[in-house]
Amino acid sequence: MRSPVVVVLLACACAGKPVGPAGTTADGTSTTSGGEQRWTTEPQEPTTTGTTTTGTTTTTTGASEPELPSEGYHCDPRRQDCPAGHKCAPFASMMADDWNGARCVPLAGDPAELGEPCETEDYAHSGIDDCGLGLICWYFESAADLHGRCLGLCGEDDGCVDPDARCYEQPEASFLCYPLCDPLAQDCPPPATLCVRSSGVDGFLCRYAPAGEPAGAGMPCAGETDCAPGHVCDLADLVSGCAGERCCAPLCSLSQPSCPAELPQCLPYDATPPPEYADVGVCRAP
């Protein structure tokens, strides 16, 4: 029997005047610095057992699941404040392509633990999966095949229970523990095919490659996930012939450099890198 991993957390931060999604109330004990307010609602309880009589037939009904809300923040994954047998999970209303709310969903009878295989129901950001408390199913094979593995949720003030993961802020105030990886080996398990450096994170993380053809060396980019595996999105003046504000440049090993002729210098990617990334360089223009 798997034992649920109780990890922490996602927060919805709404700045300014205390106005939240319809039906919500401000939880005065759950605030962030700077006056930002996290929102939650009273947990939805399952309906109770009852009987219905039609003519001479009596039907007994058991407890049923609460109806899942279609939008908004209805619970707090930081507190896991849902009824017994449920967990608070981030989800996307209207089948959006990123999380924009949180709701109570049924907890699997034998939930998967951190890093174990899992499956999500309905659509990628439904929040309905067979992972335990404080976990979410991610890294899918495709939009049609929602089999992945359980990753931890985290909060802006909390780390990850997995020492080999880092908390990365997603859009709409959601936080996910992405696994660390080796950018020179590009050792992320598919379909998380990119090992990239993300702003605000001390290390390289496994991320999804965007749809379409990734950008190669010298091609314009807007962010790290725009470039092909083994590349970074570097400043234009460091990449020969760059036609944008930033362009992709190949990574290299400082101890065994190998760079293309147009970007011949293998230079340290970070001035003061963590020890495990001390050999990571990037090919740059002279």
Side-chain angles (χ1 to χ4, degrees):
M1 176 71 71
R2 302 182 181 119
S3 58
V5 177
V6 182
V7 202
V8 113
L9 325 104
L10 167 77
C12 169
C14 304
K17 185 177 179 180
V19 177
T24 61
T25 56
D27 178 0
T29 63
S30 181
T31 58
T32 62
S33 60
E36 294 182 339
Q37 181 71 60
R38 295 194 176 103
W39 294 92
T40 184
T41 62
E42 293 299 319
Q44 292 184 304
E45 298 289 351
T47 57
T48 57
T49 302
T51 59
T52 302
T53 302
T54 305
T56 59
T57 303
T58 300
T59 302
T60 301
T61 58
S64 62
E65 293 294 341
E67 182 179 354
L68 292 178
S70 60
E71 61 182 11
Y73 289 83
H74 298 267
C75 59
D76 185 350
R78 177 181 295 275
R79 296 167 56 204
Q80 287 297 324
D81 51 355
C82 292
H86 295 74
K87 69 174 182 176
C88 184
F91 82 111
S93 59
M94 305 299 290
M95 297 187 70
D97 56 6
D98 213 335
W99 299 287
N100 55 26
R103 61 183 179 179
C104 296
V105 299
L107 183 64
D110 184 22
E113 295 182 356
L114 182 69
E116 291 188 339
C118 56
E119 183 177 4
T120 292
E121 296 181 19
D122 298 337
Y123 60 99
H125 293 85
S126 72
I128 306 173
D129 58 43
D130 55 358
C131 294
L133 292 172
L135 304 175
I136 194 168
C137 193
W138 202 231
Y139 286 159
F140 304 129
E141 290 297 328
S142 69
D145 182 358
L146 300 182
H147 290 83
R149 62 190 181 102
C150 298
L151 299 185
L153 296 171
C154 54
E156 55 193 351
D157 301 322
D158 303 274
C160 298
V161 68
D162 181 359
D164 295 322
R166 294 292 182 270
C167 190
Y168 178 71
E169 182 176 353
Q170 297 287 108
E172 300 297 338
S174 63
F175 301 83
L176 190 61
C177 291
Y178 281 109
L180 291 169
C181 53
D182 181 347
L184 297 179
Q186 289 292 313
D187 55 353
C188 292
T193 52
L194 290 177
C195 179
V196 299
R197 181 68 181 271
S198 297
S199 60
V201 176
D202 185 20
F204 288 77
L205 305 177
C206 290
R207 301 285 303 280
Y208 277 115
E213 189 70 23
M219 297 177 64
C221 55
E224 300 294 355
T225 59
D226 291 342
C227 298
H231 291 69
V232 295
C233 192
D234 216 349
L235 296 174
D237 58 356
L238 301 175
V239 183
S240 299
C242 180
E245 293 184 1
R246 301 175 70 91
C247 284
C248 298
L251 291 169
C252 54
S253 165
L254 295 173
S255 60
Q256 296 179 320
S258 178
C259 289
E262 61 274 16
L263 298 169
Q265 297 187 106
C266 183
L267 301 175
Y269 185 57
D270 277 339
T272 56
E276 60 269 33
Y277 299 117
D279 192 42
V280 178
V282 59
C283 297
R284 287 173 170 161

